[in-house]
Amino acid sequence: MRLVLTHIARLLMVEYESRELVAGADMEKMHVRENAWLTIEDGLITGFGEGEVALLMDDEVLDCSGGMVIPAFCDSHTHLVYAGSREKEYEDKIRGLSYEEIAARGGGILNSAALLSSISEQQLFEQSLPRALEIIQSGTGAVEIKSGYGLNTKDEVKMLRVIRRLGEETPLAVRSTFLGAHAFPAAYRPDPDRYVKLVVEDMIPAVASEKLADYIDVFCDRGFFTVEQTRTILEAGAKYGLVPKIHANELDFSGGVQVGVANGARSVDHLEFVAEEEIGVLKKSRTMPTLLPGASLFLGMRYAPARKMIDAGLPVALASDYNPGSSPSGNMELVMSLGIMQLRMLPYEVLNAVTLNGAYAMGLEKTHGSVAVGKTASLIITKPMPSFGFMPYAYGSSQIDRIILNGKIVQDV
Ligand code: NIG
Ligand code: FE
């Protein structure tokens, strides 16, 4: 049976020839169909056009009554599998401690690791599932989720199994990333290279033997993993087919962009510290620069220079970084608003960044992130809006009316 969407005021992100990503000046451009319809069969988009559609006897019709239709969000960087929460640390921060000072005291990532090791895989799943369901209700259809709060082989594997299960038991398209190199456990502080050895010799083979990860990540930044350590880990991952998607340049100019690109990273993420050199390196690559403005908002830190990057011709993806320490929100409508308010991106640049470019950043650009025949029917129907720019502009109030994932209407939006 077909599902037919009718009376779509504007159908956005339309493609006749599929693109991998959108870069530079093209990010401001948008292919739109006015007063449109769209058909869905077996979970896929099968057609769309303008004006009236010829309906068949047993079509299920969904009248969009003047709302717009956009692809569901592609959130390419999250850590939404975690235990407990860290709002107490935020109070420490209000009292004046920095993110790095909190981490140095055994707070931060190590605090989350201690909480995670104290619960079972089933409990971790039960704590994480509501967050996955929450992002579905917020319009996300595809998501990348990282490990990195295990920091030992057993708990990293536990996290990755939970990530896999979220992909199996929810309608989300899930990509998983192994982030054993997220922080040094206290016991390894005197000899951090010993931890790198554990990641390389024990964790990576264990993760690969269960095929638990698509990507490999390293937190390459001041006070965390050095460029040398990052290279060692990425090279070890490559032997098992793990493609890099790394954390770089959040706290300083770390060399993370360079080592990521040199190792064929699918994306390099954060990039609050980016200058001409990094832009030049990215320009010569196929790596997606991914910005996480929610972390800048929550930590009160600088924002990535999105305008400079796009004006230099680069593509940009935006993601939520949903995690307990630096961005406890997976709300992509808020990320879009930060895109216009803080990154000075234009509304259509933001839409490209949270859909097709996000899909590319997790290797899902062939199936997700735009409206094209044959792509997965994961779509957002908005409330009636005067223009698309209203969606990020009306920050804090959702413009989502209905959500369709894999061709099925999501209930209770
Ligand atoms: O992307 N920067 C490193 N990792 C996360 C934060 C993790 C945490 O504080 O729990 C991030 O911001
Ligand atoms: Fe992150």
Side-chain angles (χ1 to χ4, degrees):
M1 195 176 69
R2 291 198 311 181
L3 174 60
V4 184
L5 310 192
T6 61
H7 303 111
I8 304 167
R10 282 189 172 171
L11 180 62
L12 300 161
M13 293 296 300
V14 166
E15 280 186 330
Y16 288 99
E17 268 173 44
S18 73
R19 297 166 298 171
E20 285 191 311
L21 53 79
V22 192
D26 285 344
M27 286 191 71
E28 204 188 315
K29 299 189 187 132
M30 185 57 52
H31 296 149
V32 182
R33 289 290 166 275
E34 311 263 351
N35 183 24
W37 53 267
L38 179 143
T39 56
I40 297 169
E41 280 164 278
D42 297 325
L44 302 178
I45 298 169
T46 50
F48 55 83
E50 292 186 335
E52 292 299 314
V53 58
L55 292 171
L56 306 174
M57 271 284 277
D58 59 355
D59 280 342
E60 182 186 350
V61 178
L62 185 58
D63 185 340
C64 299
S65 22
M68 300 191 190
V69 169
I70 61 174
F73 301 127
C74 298
D75 188 354
S76 64
H77 180 138
T78 82
H79 312 243
L80 69 79
V81 168
Y82 59 82
S85 60
R86 307 216 311 260
E87 69 280 7
K88 287 282 176 286
E89 285 176 13
Y90 206 74
E91 291 173 28
D92 292 339
K93 191 180 139 48
I94 293 167
R95 289 181 216 282
L97 293 186
S98 71
Y99 182 74
E100 287 160 291
E101 282 165 339
I102 292 169
R105 283 174 155 201
I109 294 164
L110 297 187
N111 184 358
S112 287
L115 291 167
L116 188 136
S117 76
S118 70
I119 62 171
S120 69
E121 190 175 315
Q122 176 61 23
Q123 286 169 319
L124 184 61
F125 178 76
E126 285 165 14
Q127 287 196 25
S128 304
L129 180 63
R131 288 188 282 270
L133 299 177
E134 176 206 341
I135 65 167
I136 290 171
Q137 295 291 339
S138 315
T140 295
V143 65
E144 180 259 17
I145 312 175
K146 299 170 192 296
S147 68
Y149 296 118
L151 309 183
N152 61 59
T153 307
K154 182 170 133 278
D155 289 324
E156 285 294 312
V157 165
K158 176 163 100 185
M159 284 190 81
L160 289 163
R161 287 190 186 137
V162 169
I163 294 169
R164 178 166 66 190
R165 203 171 148 198
L166 289 174
E168 288 164 358
E169 297 188 26
T170 74
L172 288 167
V174 174
R175 288 295 199 185
S176 68
T177 299
F178 166 63
L179 174 57
H182 198 190
F184 295 105
Y188 291 87
R189 274 272 145 102
D191 185 5
D193 282 338
R194 211 161 58 81
Y195 184 68
V196 173
K197 202 163 175 298
L198 179 75
V199 171
V200 167
E201 293 180 4
D202 205 51
M203 291 190 198
I204 292 175
V207 167
S209 77
E210 281 190 53
K211 294 193 174 28
L212 285 169
D214 304 299
Y215 294 101
I216 184 162
D217 194 345
V218 177
F219 188 7
C220 181
D221 225 320
R222 188 182 68 209
F224 290 84
F225 291 78
T226 64
V227 167
E228 265 313 304
Q229 291 166 335
T230 302
R231 182 180 303 119
T232 303
I233 292 165
L234 298 186
E235 285 173 359
K239 293 198 184 111
Y240 294 89
L242 296 174
V243 175
K245 259 177 81 63
I246 74 168
H247 282 75
N249 297 37
E250 174 184 6
L251 307 171
D252 207 343
F253 289 96
S254 68
V257 172
Q258 290 84 339
V259 69
V261 168
N263 285 276
R266 186 76 186 185
S267 71
V268 288
D269 303 24
H270 269 294
L271 311 185
E272 285 80 356
F273 289 80
V274 158
E276 298 307 326
E277 185 186 327
E278 284 77 13
I279 290 177
V281 167
L282 285 163
K283 279 275 284 188
K284 290 193 216 98
S285 77
R286 292 173 49 78
T287 301
M288 178 61 72
T290 299
L291 315 183
L292 312 168
S296 299
L297 175 74
F298 191 72
L299 297 178
M301 300 201 320
R302 68 160 80 185
Y303 285 84
R307 208 44 290 143
K308 247 173 96 175
M309 296 165 79
I310 296 170
D311 292 345
L314 286 175
V316 159
L318 296 180
S320 74
D321 200 14
Y322 196 174
N323 78 76
S326 67
S327 186
S329 164
N331 189 312
M332 292 294 281
E333 273 188 277
L334 177 60
V335 169
M336 291 203 320
S337 296
L338 292 171
I340 64 160
M341 296 188 296
Q342 300 294 338
L343 301 179
R344 315 308 297 168
M345 290 168 68
L346 293 163
Y348 284 156
E349 291 176 332
V350 163
L351 183 57
N352 277 302
V354 296
T355 57
L356 189 57
N357 285 359
Y360 178 88
M362 51 183 157
L364 289 176
E365 74 282 1
K366 288 198 171 68
T367 51
H368 290 75
S370 65
V371 174
V373 170
K375 273 199 165 182
T376 303
S378 290
L379 303 163
I380 292 170
I381 304 168
T382 74
K383 297 171 184 168
M385 302 188 292
S387 70
F388 171 73
F390 188 83
M391 194 172 196
Y393 152 91
Y395 82 98
S397 83
S398 176
Q399 300 309 309
I400 297 176
D401 185 32
R402 307 293 284 269
I403 291 161
I404 296 173
L405 292 190
N406 311 314
K408 294 206 176 62
I409 299 167
V410 173
Q411 300 306 325
D412 297 318
V413 175

